[in-house]
Amino acid sequence: MRVLVVTAVPAERDAVTRAFGAGARVREVPGGEVHRAGPFDVLAGGVGPAAAAAATALALATAPADEPYALVVSAGIGGGFAPAAPVGSLAVATGIVAADLGAETPDGFVPVTGLGFGRDTFLPPEALVRDVAEATGAVPGPVLTVSTVTGSTARTAELLAAHPGAVAEAMEGFGVAEAADRFGVPALELRAVSNTVGPRDREAWRIGDALAALTEAFGKTAPVVESWTRHDRLDRHRD
């Protein structure tokens, strides 16, 4: 059983596969291509939760029957909430949260669950989160999925008030997790921090450093997920 990794853009995909050297095998799938490296099949699925969900679902639906996916990982760079996740650090999600899925009201934002339907959080396997954090040094905590990148102090404060302990924000995790859940596959989210969540300052972003950190993280994550998928396979066999 293998692990599907979904990034937003090719630069993130290549950062993941770079952990295993050159020459990743490429398999065409509807809407894109999967790059095979180590235990990972890596797909650049597009920016935002809708694109990420569609790409993930297509990849899961067209996976080879003899090599089903045991885990889906949403990965890439993202913004870190200071001081928990500074630029250059890693964040691993204890909860994958749709932070702006809901409704505005005179009394403030109400999440979709508060409206009486849907869900706004997926919980990755606790043991896997713990082991990835230990292996990579990633900061564990909620990772927020947003459709609009945060660009102000006020919005940062709103997000932290609504989601205490949040460590990072990105734009794809919830979409990846939503699709994975429809196929009965657990999801994880791992982010390398390229910028601090808050007022938008592109000159302060460290995208190259974050991509390098992502490469290093996946080199360290590989044995963790390989062990986890072996145990998952045994558990399914016993069931």
Side-chain angles (χ1 to χ4, degrees):
M1 302 181 84
R2 294 186 61 79
V3 176
L4 175 64
V5 179
V6 182
T7 71
V9 298
E12 294 167 320
R13 177 199 65 204
D14 295 344
V16 174
T17 61
R18 199 175 296 124
F20 305 93
R25 291 168 48 198
V26 178
R27 176 170 63 87
E28 297 293 331
V29 298
E33 56 187 28
V34 167
H35 290 221
R36 174 162 291 195
F40 304 112
D41 287 357
V42 193
L43 170 68
V47 175
T56 302
L58 283 169
L60 290 171
T62 58
D66 59 341
E67 289 188 318
Y69 291 116
L71 176 71
V72 180
V73 182
S74 176
I77 64 176
F81 287 97
V87 173
S89 67
L90 299 166
V92 60
T94 57
I96 302 172
V97 182
D100 53 11
L101 181 62
E104 288 290 344
T105 76
D107 298 320
F109 178 76
V110 177
V112 66
T113 51
L115 300 175
F117 52 84
R119 65 186 300 176
D120 62 0
T121 303
F122 289 96
L123 300 177
E126 290 185 14
L128 180 59
V129 171
R130 182 188 64 243
D131 291 348
V132 168
E134 183 176 323
T136 64
V139 179
V143 175
L144 310 184
T145 298
V146 296
S147 294
T148 301
V149 173
T150 300
S152 70
T153 300
R155 179 57 176 159
T156 303
E158 289 175 2
L159 288 173
L160 288 174
H163 307 283
V167 293
E169 73 166 22
M171 301 181 74
E172 293 79 31
F174 190 82
V176 171
E178 184 79 78
D181 184 69
R182 301 296 177 95
F183 284 82
V185 181
L188 182 75
E189 184 167 10
L190 182 61
R191 294 284 167 182
V193 176
S194 59
N195 59 282
T196 298
V197 178
R200 190 170 176 82
D201 180 8
R202 286 299 300 269
E203 291 186 0
W205 289 20
R206 298 292 181 265
I207 292 176
D209 292 344
L211 291 173
L214 193 65
T215 299
E216 183 177 357
F218 269 86
K220 295 176 179 179
T221 298
V224 174
V225 298
E226 285 181 313
S227 175
W228 189 85
T229 55
R230 281 197 301 270
H231 291 150
D232 181 71
R233 186 187 304 121
L234 289 173
D235 290 342
R236 293 187 187 193
H237 179 72
R238 293 190 187 102
D239 293 342

